[in-house]
Each structure stands twice: as structure tokens, then as C-alpha cells.
Amino acid sequence: MTGTPWTMLPDLACRAVGGGVVWANDESFAERENLVERAEPGYRPHTFGHKGQVYDGWETRRRREPGVDHAVVRLGLPGVVRGVVVDTAFFTGNYPPFASVEATAVRGHPAPDELTGWETLVPRSPLGGDRKHHFDVADGRRWTHVRLTIHPDGGVARLRVHGEPVVDPELVLPEALDLAALENGASVTGCSDMFYGSPANLIAPGQARVMGEGWETARRRDDGNDWVEIALAAAGVVRLAELDTTHFKGNAPGWASVRGRRGDGGWVDLLPLTRLQPDTRHRFRVERGEEVTHARLDIHPDGGMARLRLIGALTPAGLHGLTQRYQAVTRGS
């Protein structure tokens, strides 16, 4: 169904967060890599290449024998999957009538033919042409790869795998960690406005390539200011704050501040109200050495920011909580 709450969660498979289509048994008409592109699918009528009409999606040849087609996606952010979107946008006479989705969890970096232990997230389900199909996922375990199967052949524009990232504690350096990073398990819990861009972009992996990959608010016409609150990956002590206004030139905030929330609910200043420059990565040492679990960024009065990084150290309690969460959602634990 459309409008499901999990569509607001990160797309764990998206190319923008490191996802990739590592294998497909066929891509005769359109490349498998299109499945995980961040942008919504597009269509250019009467645009033909050497393989026919050019489609913004993955399309296989017409089967003349029994069987199905598969595409395997490595999640850029391993985690718990809450829902899957199979989008057949612009595929009308060539969409697959059915699809299913499986998942597996592995350590390390195996080759596609070494992946085993597939389990069903979405059973074989009917599809229609030129529409988004939303499938709830009830399984609460952590996954690293998903496999899309189309029955028997055809085209799919995008595969979205929405969920909650869960970091492997063995790959974490407790003494130096971005506590606000999506890939480490941080999440946005509230914001004042997201007119032009989602606040979740602030904590996404990598650098923003364009303004549209940041968080931007509408122009304020009152005396207030905009803000965003983040639940940190785990309890920790922030030592360095990075406020990045890259690509925001005539619309960067004039000033910003960062506060942290302690376990008892009280707030402490991590970065006092500080002037910002447009199109600049600002880095500030944080002297207040208190344990915090949440952070709040206030921008004054409005505008856009590409990224927020809060580098620090996990406390023993924070590391324990991170480890417990991983163990609770790991298959076989």
C-alpha cells in the first residue's frame, strides 16, 4: 500500500549509500545497475538504442523456455528491512506479472556465486505495469544482500529496500566514530521543516554531490529558526563537530549551534551559536566532554546544509548497547 510509514526510512539498497547490483542472470534490454539509482525513473519517448527502446530500469529478454530471472543487490547499509518497493514505472507491455524478494546475511565480501542461505522476505506476488508496489516485511533480522526474482521475465525500474541500518560492532572503532552517521545506526527523530530536502540527508554516507543531496528548509518569514534532532548511534562523548554547507551558497544558514542530550534528559552545549560561511566544510573542536545520546542542530534563521558529522568516542555503555542491538537482529545469534 502507498503511504506506509516505512517509506520514510532509508533505502538500504540505494547507490547513494553504497548499494550495488552485483549480479543478474540477464540484462539484454536494460542494465541491472538502474535498479538502485537514487533518482526516480524517467522516460524519453522514441529513444532507441541498439537493443530497442531505452528504459531507465532493468529489463531481461523474452523467455522461450521455463524459468525466472534474478538480480542480486548488495545493501549499502546492512540492516533490518521493514518494506520493499518494486517499481515498474514506464514498463507497460513488458513488466513481469509476478516478483519475489529474498535476503541473506553474510560476513566479509563474498562473490555473488558464494552467497547462500536465502530466505523469503516477499513471497511471489502479482505486479502491474507502470506503478509502485509496496510490500511490508515482518522479518526483524539483519540482512546484507537481497535477491529480486521476476517471474518469468520483463522489466523493473527500481527496487527500494527501506529499513534501519545496523552496524557490525567488529567494524567499529569505539574511540573514534561518527556518532551521528546513518551507517552507524543514528537516525533523525524530528525536524522543524524539510521543504526542499530530507533531514536524513544530513547523516548520509559520503559527500553531497549537489545541493539536492542535503537538507534545506523553506524561507522563514518570522522570528524563529529551523532545527533537526538526531538519535545518536549510541551513547558517546562528542569531540569534533563538522557542519558542511557545501553547494549551499545564497541559501546557507547564517549561524548554527549544536546541543547534546544527556541520559537524564538535560541538554548541554556542544557548539555555541557560531557564524557559518556558504559552501564550506566547517570543523570545530568540542570541549564539553559529557556523555550524550541525542543531538540537536539549530540553524539560524533557515537555509540548507549538506552534512552533519559528530565525531567522538563511545562510552562503555554505548558500545554495549551497540553490540546488543547487533546480536538481537543477527541470524543465528
Side-chain angles (χ1 to χ4, degrees), residues 21 40 67 74 79 106 135 221 244 254 262-263 269 298 320 322:
V21 185
E40 289 295 296
R74 182 197 65 249
V106 297
F135 301 103
R221 305 304 187 189
D244 185 358
R262 301 189 303 256
D269 289 329
D298 281 89
H320 179 69
L322 204 71

Side-chain angles (χ1 to χ4, degrees), residues 241 243-245 252-258 271-284 297-301 305:
L243 281 64
D244 185 358
T245 61
W255 302 263
S257 63
V258 181
L271 178 71
L273 189 64
T274 302
R275 189 179 67 162
L276 300 182
Q277 297 296 331
D279 197 24
T280 301
R281 288 178 65 192
H282 307 78
R283 308 191 85 195
F284 306 100
L297 168 69
D298 281 89
I299 59 173
H300 297 262
M305 188 168 293

Side-chain angles (χ1 to χ4, degrees), residues 3-318:
T4 48
W6 51 256
T7 58
M8 299 300 293
L9 295 173
D11 179 1
L12 307 180
C14 184
R15 169 67 70 183
V17 299
V21 185
V22 296
W23 178 84
N25 69 301
D26 184 86
E27 48 184 335
S28 294
F29 286 114
E31 292 81 2
R32 67 196 192 206
E33 288 82 5
N34 291 327
L35 280 172
V36 297
E37 285 298 318
R38 174 176 179 160
E40 289 295 296
Y43 181 73
R44 291 178 294 169
H46 311 299
T47 304
F48 289 87
H50 295 295
K51 297 181 179 181
Q53 170 66 44
V54 177
Y55 279 93
D56 185 4
W58 169 53
E59 186 183 4
T60 67
R61 82 284 188 231
R62 299 188 186 210
R63 279 191 168 271
R64 303 307 186 198
E65 71 286 332
V68 294
D69 291 325
H70 305 282
V72 175
V73 175
R74 182 197 65 249
L75 300 181
L77 299 172
V80 177
V81 178
R82 300 302 185 188
V84 171
V85 180
V86 179
D87 187 355
T88 59
F90 305 111
F91 289 98
T92 53
N94 50 353
Y95 64 89
F98 299 92
S100 57
V101 180
E102 300 160 287
T104 190
V106 297
R107 305 296 292 271
H109 307 89
D113 59 0
E114 296 171 337
L115 296 170
T116 59
W118 294 101
E119 299 193 33
T120 300
L121 296 185
V122 178
R124 186 175 184 268
S125 303
L127 300 182
D130 194 25
R131 70 189 69 171
K132 293 181 179 180
H133 306 79
H134 294 70
F135 301 103
D136 295 333
V137 175
D139 194 304
R141 291 173 290 177
R142 178 184 186 267
W143 307 104
T144 61
H145 295 73
V146 297
R147 180 169 65 186
L148 170 67
T149 300
I150 55 176
H151 308 256
D153 57 43
V156 173
R158 295 290 188 270
L159 177 69
R160 308 295 192 195
V161 183
H162 293 279
E164 300 152 359
V166 179
V167 70
D168 183 344
E170 289 192 10
L171 303 179
V172 163
L173 294 177
E175 66 278 7
L177 184 73
D178 183 357
L179 300 171
L182 181 66
E183 61 187 332
N184 292 330
S187 62
V188 172
T189 57
C191 74
S192 60
D193 183 271
M194 52 180 181
F195 191 87
Y196 291 111
S198 169
N201 291 339
L202 282 173
I203 60 176
Q207 298 300 114
R209 296 170 300 174
V210 295
M211 187 188 300
E213 293 185 1
W215 169 54
E216 185 180 2
T217 70
R219 299 191 186 206
R220 275 196 168 264
R221 305 304 187 189
D222 56 25
D223 296 329
N225 72 280
D226 288 316
W227 53 269
V228 60
E229 289 186 359
I230 297 166
L232 301 180
V237 178
V238 178
R239 297 298 186 188
L240 183 75
E242 179 178 303
L243 281 64
D244 185 358
T245 61
T246 297
H247 306 301
F248 292 94
K249 299 172 182 177
N251 52 351
W255 302 263
S257 63
V258 181
R259 290 185 290 163
R261 193 172 80 193
R262 301 189 303 256
D264 62 7
W267 290 87
V268 296
D269 289 329
L270 301 179
L271 178 71
L273 189 64
T274 302
R275 189 179 67 162
L276 300 182
Q277 297 296 331
D279 197 24
T280 301
R281 288 178 65 192
H282 307 78
R283 308 191 85 195
F284 306 100
R285 289 290 298 269
V286 176
E287 304 300 335
R288 191 81 179 243
E290 291 193 50
E291 176 181 331
V292 294
T293 60
H294 294 69
R296 172 173 166 136
L297 168 69
D298 281 89
I299 59 173
H300 297 262
D302 56 33
M305 188 168 293
R307 295 289 186 268
L308 171 68
R309 308 295 189 202
L310 297 175
I311 313 300
L314 292 173
T315 62

